[in-house]
Amino acid sequence: GQQVMQIPQYQHVQEGEDFTTYCNSSTTLSNIQWYKQRPGGHPVFLIQLVKSGEVKKQKRLTFQFGEAKKNSSLHITATQTTDVGTYFCAATLNTGNQFYFGTGTSLTVIP
Amino acid sequence: DTEVTQTPKHLVMGMTNKKSLKCEQHMGHRAMYWYKQKAKKPPELMFVYSYEKLSINESVPSRFSPECPNSSLLNLHLHALQPEDSALYLCASSRTRAGADQPQHFGDGTRLSIL
């Protein structure tokens, strides 16, 4: 079964609104990575979080890793049409070396 | 622009055909991966090569056969595929194995259709 779940599955926002996607696992994660895949494109690495409670920022994007290392979030402030795509978290479980992509959140930005 | 090159970009084949997908990277990465991605789904890991040795095989049917001739090249040999195998096949590489604090760099993929 799917080890890493993301919500929501789809999100439509007006340009300028904020957007958040959440990544959850029932198992403690060694680390978590975030990728963006544009329509028709391939996943592109955005960032990696390793430490419990870690917060990293990239311009309008803020990434958080939960204190228990079982969840993570990606928040985009003031979305732009260039933010359109599917955002995936990806993680290695502490129980082994298996690497899983989350179920993904597809973001549509309405101009 | 991607630093991982996959060929061909598109492939249509019959169920009795034999074909190969190719992937190449010149970043000096020592881990390479094959993923399968169906529409509106996340990439699913198929195979991982670490230092040219197969380290993970995610219970993939034997009609898919990976090969890593050297640290820069990765092939996926296809034989007797089924219609449900139609998907985007993505190759990726990382400096070392996934989960070891290394981001993965993806190619543009091969879009495979099985008739």
Side-chain angles (χ1 to χ4, degrees), chain B residues 57-92:
Chain B
N57 176 351
E58 292 282 345
S59 300
V60 178
S62 59
R63 56 185 184 267
F64 295 91
S65 175
E67 178 195 18
C68 189
N70 60 57
S71 61
S72 300
L73 294 174
L74 187 65
N75 299 320
L76 186 62
H77 302 299
L78 315 173
H79 174 55
L81 295 195
Q82 303 298 309
E84 61 265 27
D85 297 323
S86 298
L88 179 68
Y89 287 84
L90 291 161
C91 173

Side-chain angles (χ1 to χ4, degrees), chain A residues 25-92:
Chain A
S25 172
S26 57
T27 307
T28 305
L29 306 172
S30 296
N31 58 35
I32 195 154
Q33 297 175 351
W34 285 92
Y35 292 80
K36 176 184 178 181
Q37 186 172 21
R38 293 180 187 272
H42 58 271
V44 175
F45 174 80
L46 295 176
I47 209 158
Q48 176 164 279
L49 304 170
V50 179
K51 300 176 183 175
S52 168
E54 189 170 12
V55 178
K56 288 188 177 180
K57 293 191 176 184
Q58 288 180 350
K59 298 182 180 178
R60 295 179 293 104
L61 278 60
T62 301
F63 304 84
Q64 288 190 312
F65 202 5
E67 293 289 343
K69 299 184 75 173
K70 290 186 176 182
N71 55 71
S72 180
S73 65
L74 158 57
H75 179 82
I76 302 178
T77 304
T79 54
Q80 300 174 359
T81 54
T82 52
D83 296 325
V84 165
T86 301
Y87 292 85
F88 292 103
C89 60
T92 302

